Amino acid sequence: MSVQPEAGQRSTMRVHPELVAAYEALPRFSDPYEDIEATREGFHAILAAFPADRTGVRSERFGIGRADGSALTVEVYRPEGAEGAGPDATGGAGAPGGALPAVLHFHGGGFALGRSLPGQDRVAIELCRELPAVVVTVEYRLAPEHRYPAGVEDCYRALEWVAERAAGLGVDASRIAVAGKSAGGGLGAAVALMARDRGGPALVHQSLCVPDLDDRVGADESEDAAGALDARVLTGRGVRESWRHYLPEGTAQAEAYAAPARATDLSGLPPAHVLVCDLDPMRDAGLAYARRLMDAGVPVTVRNVPGAWHGFELFAPDTRVAKEMTAHWTGQLREALHPASPAVV
């Protein structure tokens, strides 16, 4: 079913039939940066009203020291029975002593919001149960108060911390992956580049879901074509605003660790899964990155969700389209971390 596009959406936008009702019920998309603290407070109020189901999962928070004396907070989610007692930890499969694989999960939110309440990261809880795995969420510093490279350096430091303390966390250090949606997907791709370039911890997989990889998205569109920030869905202009608040002021060209699409060499990176949505302004950049990974000899799987916009699953979680998307990217992670397990396709 075709839907009359808002300004800035693809001129031939075709919403998936299952998602039309959800699309038509979408609220207007306002500028989150007009009052970023109010935006964050509103987001957390919604989360508090609908607490996550933590059945079968436990979590513990840790502080990781930074060079300036501040602390980076991470939360470690484990299936019950896998308590991180070193090599004798139970509850896992495929490694001596039952150590579990680990997923570094970087939240989305335009590099500026999206942080879950303590113990309430729904994606981490679901991955913890479904894979199973030890899932580490990273409360990286947020823009615009903390611009690049603060956030991505926090994410990389969290990877080092997990690798250094793998035994105590009940983690199999040979099976560590990075995963994220939107800005979190861009951070995951950047951390994979940093680990390669710095000789850091080896990664077995990078899961990039609707990743924000390229600061040039929307740059070739006029203001009218890019759409207003109060459109129903994310537009090219909305993506540009996110990058404007994330990159240091006066940046003419983003560095590769900020925008992985800027990297000139993608060889030697871990296998990747790239998932994009048809109506997402970041779709083409995600597909281009996947193709460049393939050309560099990196094993890649790609999936496009037809007729879906950026973040559609938040508004239509019970649709078949959303459930299939979640099952697919979860299945790809499971296959990467538990190679003997069948993948969900």
Side-chain angles (χ1 to χ4, degrees):
M1 176 176 180
S2 295
V3 173
Q4 183 66 33
E6 302 282 349
Q9 295 170 9
R10 298 179 188 278
S11 59
T12 57
M13 189 172 105
R14 187 174 294 272
V15 175
H16 191 287
E18 243 197 315
L19 302 177
V20 170
Y23 174 82
E24 292 177 342
L26 285 174
R28 304 299 292 184
F29 197 80
S30 59
D31 180 1
Y33 299 99
E34 185 175 356
D35 187 339
I36 191 64
E37 283 301 326
T39 301
R40 291 168 184 161
E41 290 173 6
F43 175 70
H44 287 155
I46 294 172
L47 293 180
F50 300 96
D53 176 8
R54 288 169 50 95
T55 303
V57 174
R58 294 186 179 183
S59 66
E60 185 176 3
R61 293 168 72 79
F62 297 88
I64 304 172
R66 298 190 184 97
D68 64 1
S70 63
L72 164 64
T73 300
V74 298
E75 187 151 7
V76 179
Y77 292 79
R78 300 186 184 89
E80 289 184 348
E83 296 304 319
D88 294 326
T90 60
L100 286 169
V103 177
L104 270 292
H105 165 55
F106 309 129
H107 67 78
F111 307 104
L113 57 145
R115 183 176 296 164
S116 293
L117 298 172
Q120 293 289 305
D121 193 300
R122 295 172 183 273
V123 173
I125 291 169
E126 182 173 358
L127 290 177
C128 187
R129 281 197 292 246
E130 294 295 322
L131 295 178
V134 172
V135 182
V136 181
T137 62
V138 183
E139 297 187 3
Y140 57 86
R141 286 168 288 182
L142 300 175
E145 299 93 331
H146 303 283
R147 295 173 181 259
Y148 170 83
V152 71
E153 289 291 351
D154 283 350
C155 292
Y156 183 74
R157 180 69 191 100
L159 170 62
E160 291 183 315
W161 182 85
V162 169
E164 290 164 0
R165 290 158 178 78
L169 295 171
V171 164
D172 175 5
S174 68
R175 291 185 293 160
I176 300 177
V178 291
K181 292 184 178 182
S182 192
L187 289 167
V191 167
L193 286 167
M194 295 167 82
R196 179 200 64 181
D197 297 345
R198 298 178 180 182
L203 295 169
V204 296
H205 188 71
Q206 50 180 325
S207 178
L208 314 179
C209 188
V210 293
D212 195 354
L213 299 163
D214 196 338
D215 61 302
R216 294 164 291 190
V217 169
D220 58 349
E221 299 175 351
S222 68
E223 286 300 306
D224 288 340
L229 282 174
D230 64 351
R232 291 188 178 187
V233 299
L234 181 66
T235 65
R237 181 179 173 186
V239 177
R240 294 208 313 269
E241 282 296 298
S242 172
W243 282 102
R244 186 170 70 83
H245 287 84
Y246 176 56
L247 295 174
E249 294 185 58
T251 299
Q253 178 174 314
E255 297 179 1
Y257 296 158
R262 297 276 193 179
T264 57
D265 178 12
L266 300 183
S267 62
L269 292 170
H273 175 232
V274 180
L275 186 146
V276 298
C277 288
D278 220 10
L279 308 179
D280 187 341
M282 297 186 288
R283 181 198 68 179
D284 293 349
L287 293 175
Y289 194 72
R291 175 60 185 266
R292 290 186 57 220
L293 286 170
M294 295 177 202
D295 291 344
V298 177
V300 184
T301 58
V302 181
R303 187 178 184 105
N304 175 59
V305 184
W309 60 92
H310 190 90
F312 81 96
E313 70 278 10
L314 301 176
F315 300 93
D318 296 325
T319 61
R320 178 182 55 83
V321 181
K323 291 178 179 178
E324 286 183 351
M325 184 196 85
T326 299
H328 178 78
W329 79 268
T330 302
Q332 291 294 318
L333 260 174
R334 183 185 301 114
E335 183 178 22
L337 297 172
H338 298 282
S341 301
V344 177
V345 296

